[in-house]
Amino acid sequence: MPTQVESDVQTSEDAFRTEVRQFLATNFPDELKGTGNMMAGLDGPTDENPVQKKWREAVGGRGWGTPTWPKEYGGGGLTKGQARIIEHEFAKVGAYNPIGGMGVMMFGPTLLEYGDERQKLEHIPPICRGEIRWCQGYSEPNAGSDLANLQTFAVDKGDHYLINGQKTWTSGGQWADKCFAIVRTDRSDKHKGISFMLIDMDAPGVEVRPITMISGTSPFCETFFTDVKVPKENLVGKEGQGWTIGKRLLQHERTNISGGGRLAGMMGQSLGDIAKKYCETGGDGALVNKVLRDKIADLEIRWNSFLLTARRAVEESKAQGGVSEISSVLKKVGTKLAQDRSELLIEIRGFQGLGWEGDEFGDDELEDVRGWLFGKAATIYGGSTEVQNNIIAKRVLGMLDHQ
Amino acid sequence: MAVLSEEQEMLRNMARDWATKESPVSEFRKVRAAGQPQAYNADAYAAMAEMGWVGIIIPEAHGGSDFGFSSAGLVVEELGKTLTASPLVATTIAASAILLGGSDAQKAKWLPRLASGETVATLAIDEGAHCDPSAIETSVSGGKLTGKKAFVHEAHGASLFVVAAKDGLYLVEKGDGVSLTTRKLTDQRSHADIQFAGAAAEKLEGGGDSLLGDVLDRARVLSAAEMLGMAQAVFDTTLDYLKQRVQFNQVLATFQALQHRMADLFADLTQMRSAVEAGLQAVDSGFGVARAATIAKAEANRVLHAISNQGIQLHGGIGMTDEFNVGFYLKRARVLEASWGSSSYLRDRFARLSGY
């Protein structure tokens, strides 16, 4: 027999599920079924059509794209249980969450924690409505893995700061409305001299240049700041608190990069099935090239373990009510396996798997080549594999600092 | 570590406590020094049976607790950490064969005896130096089984064998027509070739065509649980050592080259644990067992192989000495890696199961 409390929860969950279904029936247009979330993508501008816009406004208006964020700032004000119901019900009818991007994944949660009341009221609601695109001003030419070495400087000019310097690897910088950045306000202390500021990308003195990558695409930019005025109210937290706030934001970033679901999506078709199309098979349907077959099996076994590990991390986090120590290995393992897979795909396809352009190549073949190249970034960004190893050794294994 | 029920947590803690206090690696040293081919302490095994560990997968009606493979795996993992020598894994796997393929009478006769520790049982499947269930020549005629089995685990302590013949699995009791030749392997545990010459045999009629494969999958996941405990123990011991050993006026744990190697091994160990726990859970749920068991044992092989080698390397010269335990894990690791499917065998099986 369920207790009274349990049955009350059950009743209210059922009622909420009904509400979500009714909302979907009324607002979700069939023509968007199974399509993706353009706003959350980093590699293209938002070209919303009116139908997509209407769907975004419907979800954003209720705060359901950010269901657990507080209602007073435009979020849904819902419980985690209700958020899961939204996720399930949306997935069931092939509806995407139109609210996404860095504002949702990284900046919003950080501002909710560290921002003042006025900042939250100004910046969170447009994120919940999917109206503003944020980009990340972190890395600099001489501050990659050693991020705290950043030199972009903000001079105190009384009612505003004057910013000069350069950021790089600004994802989606060419399409962003605003930038959350860590900048130096004090040269005498490496970590305590950093502050967290919000910069308008339209402000005079901001210049964005897309960087062409080895994959031929330009998802990242160089961003130059020349005498850019930033009002004082755009400082988040206190001066010198930027490293603490900035690191907190990186935790949100890592959780998103290593999210099992996203990586699982990258590993669509079984490599064995693909190989059977490109390579000779025997009478029993097995690949004739036993060495290649062995390599494929080895990779797929390890990939399966990774998916099991990602699932275990989620289960343990739920049970323990905190981040499981397993999550520290997810980024490192997942990105490496994805790269190994791309390399093996080339071996399977031969020259046909190295096409740059041309109708003689299939779309999947061309996409996989670009994916192989762009995938090299995965073990570099979001804390390189080497940085991840430092973190595991120090924080999980308790090995001493090497510096 | 999988999320455990309260009962499982108690069981795990009890096993950890017992293994640490009553069965540290020094107990295995005593077993080795005694030089008996049986290679385990009968009193210790009786205590394990007394605590209900042999009956974990056996139904309550037959004297067990019916907690399933995930629970059995918790105990086996703890015993693996201290290299406890016992026929627990062998007997549990044999019990699973009787559970899957035995008649009511066979279950009623044997399962209570296995659960109580009175009878030790083991699988006798392979006839050569490799796992190859497709190459079985042993045959049965008029209830008499004839054939040769190679490298049978825990053969000396066992009085009941689950034997693979061309047409299925049979129960054979130690006695007339059963002769053992001891094979001393590097792990210094009990192994023997067995000659069956017209030994009285009773078929396990149930379980269908997949019985042998199903039993081997159970052997794979339970061995993988033992290997998980071993890998964890070597990793922990090595990490402790790196935090103590000083060279160049620096604790070894401060060297980044070693930190990154340990981070890699930690990631491998995490992957292994996920695969092994999922294999045990698959047996309990009955869903996707062949695939999950193959992944579990393949990952156990890969990771324990790497960790047992690095355990020696990172201990340096003392890791090479008999005085240190790390070498014992290396030797037992290779025997378990070869059991029920080497890495290449398992990758081949995975490819076959996946249709390529």
Side-chain angles (χ1 to χ4, degrees), chain A residues 276 293 312 316 332 390 400, chain B residues 1 259-260 264 348 355:
Chain A
K276 285 173 80 168
R293 178 173 177 268
R312 194 156 69 87
E316 286 188 18
K332 155 189 166 72
N390 287 345
L400 303 174
Chain B
M1 180 71 57
Q259 292 182 341
H260 286 201
D264 280 342
D348 174 68

Side-chain angles (χ1 to χ4, degrees), chain A residues 13-26:
Chain A
E13 285 195 351
D14 288 346
F16 184 69
R17 193 177 293 279
T18 308
E19 187 187 338
V20 176
R21 285 181 187 164
Q22 280 166 354
F23 169 81
L24 284 166
T26 315

Side-chain angles (χ1 to χ4, degrees), chain B:
Chain B
M1 180 71 57
V3 178
L4 302 180
S5 71
E6 213 169 294
E7 280 165 340
Q8 286 178 321
E9 208 154 314
M10 277 171 60
L11 184 66
R12 200 257 327 263
N13 292 344
M14 185 178 158
R16 182 172 293 175
D17 204 45
W18 186 84
T20 315
K21 289 187 184 137
E22 307 295 330
S23 181
V25 181
S26 54
E27 290 299 308
F28 174 67
R29 287 183 182 273
K30 287 181 196 163
V31 166
R32 183 179 70 152
Q36 297 297 317
Q38 175 180 292
Y40 66 85
N41 178 338
D43 291 340
Y45 186 62
M48 290 161 68
E50 180 73 18
M51 291 183 282
W53 295 351
V54 197
I56 291 176
I57 68 148
I58 294 173
E60 291 179 37
H62 295 301
S65 61
D66 204 12
F67 277 178
F69 269 79
S70 294
S71 299
L74 293 174
V75 172
V76 168
E77 181 189 336
E78 294 304 325
L79 298 174
K81 285 183 185 171
T82 60
L83 290 175
T84 299
S86 90
L88 174 68
V89 171
T91 304
T92 302
I93 299 164
S96 80
I98 296 170
L99 269 171
L100 289 168
S103 64
D104 289 346
Q106 286 167 329
K107 289 180 194 169
K109 178 178 177 187
W110 290 112
L111 294 178
R113 295 188 201 181
L114 301 186
S116 71
E118 177 192 337
T119 299
V120 166
T122 191
L123 295 188
I125 310 292
D126 293 310
E127 303 183 354
H130 298 92
C131 170
D132 192 356
S134 66
I136 287 163
E137 298 290 330
T138 296
S139 61
V140 180
S141 151
K144 304 287 181 190
L145 183 143
T146 300
K148 186 177 179 297
K149 295 295 172 182
F151 300 104
V152 175
H153 288 257
E154 307 299 341
H156 299 89
S159 51
L160 179 69
F161 299 96
V162 176
V163 187
K166 278 179 183 171
D167 66 328
L169 292 180
Y170 287 82
L171 295 179
V172 178
E173 291 182 63
K174 193 175 268 180
D176 290 345
V178 180
S179 51
L180 270 58
T181 307
T182 299
R183 299 298 304 269
K184 291 191 176 173
L185 295 185
T186 183
D187 64 347
Q188 288 165 304
R189 295 276 296 268
S190 161
H191 303 278
D193 292 342
I194 307 181
Q195 188 74 51
F196 294 98
E202 210 180 272
K203 193 172 187 194
L204 295 174
E205 297 280 2
D209 291 344
S210 64
L211 179 62
L212 173 57
D214 293 342
V215 171
L216 286 173
D217 281 331
R218 280 150 182 80
R220 288 180 184 119
V221 296
L222 216 53
S223 300
E226 181 178 347
M227 296 165 84
L228 177 60
M230 292 166 62
Q232 183 75 57
V234 174
F235 182 86
D236 291 345
T237 309
T238 304
L239 181 59
D240 284 347
Y241 181 73
L242 293 178
K243 289 178 181 178
Q244 288 160 16
R245 171 79 171 166
V246 175
Q247 290 283 276
F248 307 104
N249 296 319
Q250 256 180 291
V251 175
L252 291 186
T254 61
F255 288 98
Q256 199 178 29
L258 304 185
Q259 292 182 341
H260 286 201
R261 203 178 306 168
M262 290 305 281
D264 280 342
L265 294 177
F266 177 75
D268 279 336
L269 186 57
T270 304
Q271 291 270 89
M272 175 185 184
R273 181 172 291 284
S274 308
V276 173
E277 289 178 353
L280 291 160
Q281 286 161 8
V283 172
D284 287 334
S285 73
F287 183 74
V289 178
R291 198 178 163 85
T294 304
I295 293 169
K297 181 68 168 40
E299 284 292 83
N301 278 9
R302 176 178 73 84
V303 176
L304 180 59
H305 191 93
I307 289 186
S308 58
N309 279 335
Q310 285 300 329
I312 301 277
Q313 175 67 24
L314 293 171
H315 273 81
I318 58 153
M320 292 295 296
T321 64
D322 188 72
E323 191 189 336
F324 265 68
N325 292 336
V326 63
F328 287 4
Y329 289 87
L330 175 75
K331 292 186 272 189
R332 178 67 174 163
R334 295 302 177 274
V335 171
L336 289 179
E337 284 168 44
S339 303
W340 324 121
S342 64
S343 294
S344 56
Y345 175 91
L346 293 165
R347 288 200 294 268
D348 174 68
R349 184 163 191 257
F350 182 86
R352 232 176 321 120
L353 290 170
S354 307
Y356 59 88

Side-chain angles (χ1 to χ4, degrees), chain A residues 154-381:
Chain A
V155 183
D156 190 338
K157 291 283 184 186
D159 65 335
H160 68 272
Y161 292 100
L162 201 63
I163 297 189
N164 280 283
Q166 183 195 344
K167 293 290 176 184
T168 190
W169 311 125
T170 322
S171 307
Q174 66 270 55
W175 303 299
D177 305 296
K178 289 173 189 292
C179 175
F180 52 89
I182 43 179
V183 298
R184 186 156 294 289
T185 41
D186 180 359
R187 290 201 174 89
S188 67
D189 190 303
K190 186 171 178 181
H191 293 96
K192 288 179 189 152
I194 294 174
S195 300
F196 194 100
M197 289 184 192
L198 312 179
I199 304 170
D200 213 320
M201 293 298 278
D202 294 335
V206 177
E207 190 196 342
V208 179
R209 292 184 204 153
I211 305 168
T212 303
M213 306 295 284
I214 54 175
S215 57
T217 55
S218 308
F220 299 127
C221 301
E222 291 177 292
T223 307
F224 298 88
F225 301 102
T226 312
D227 289 336
V228 176
K229 277 188 181 176
V230 173
K232 275 273 172 81
E233 61 256 32
N234 282 7
L235 172 73
V236 177
K238 296 193 180 80
E239 243 183 53
Q241 210 189 348
W243 185 245
T244 307
I245 301 173
K247 271 199 307 189
R248 181 86 185 118
L249 186 137
L250 285 179
Q251 288 182 344
H252 294 293
E253 180 180 17
R254 265 169 216 146
T255 313
N256 280 299
I257 293 172
S258 63
R262 193 163 145 185
L263 284 160
M266 286 158 56
M267 295 278 195
Q269 219 183 341
S270 142
L271 277 182
D273 290 342
I274 296 174
K276 285 173 80 168
K277 289 185 206 148
Y278 289 86
C279 308
E280 195 187 340
T281 53
D284 56 354
L287 296 168
V288 170
N289 182 339
K290 298 298 176 208
V291 179
L292 179 63
R293 178 173 177 268
D294 187 70
K295 279 191 192 177
I296 296 172
D298 180 47
L299 182 88
E300 297 216 320
I301 286 170
R302 285 185 289 132
W303 180 252
N304 272 283
S305 301
F306 173 70
L307 294 183
L308 293 166
T309 302
R311 195 178 73 187
R312 194 156 69 87
V314 172
E315 284 169 3
E316 286 188 18
S317 296
K318 271 186 200 158
Q320 296 163 359
V323 178
S324 155
E325 69 175 28
I326 308 170
S327 59
S328 65
V329 305
L330 289 179
K331 198 231 164 199
K332 155 189 166 72
V333 175
T335 51
K336 173 72 166 66
L337 285 172
Q339 289 179 350
D340 288 351
R341 183 183 192 270
S342 291
E343 295 288 354
L344 198 47
L345 205 45
I346 291 174
E347 184 171 348
I348 288 167
R349 286 175 171 153
F351 289 123
Q352 197 66 23
L354 285 166
W356 187 250
E357 54 197 13
D359 295 341
E360 302 84 355
F361 296 106
D363 288 345
D364 53 339
E365 290 168 345
L366 291 173
E367 275 168 29
D368 286 337
V369 172
R370 305 299 172 115
W372 157 67
L373 289 165
F374 192 67
K376 298 298 177 198
T379 48
I380 301 168
Y381 63 57

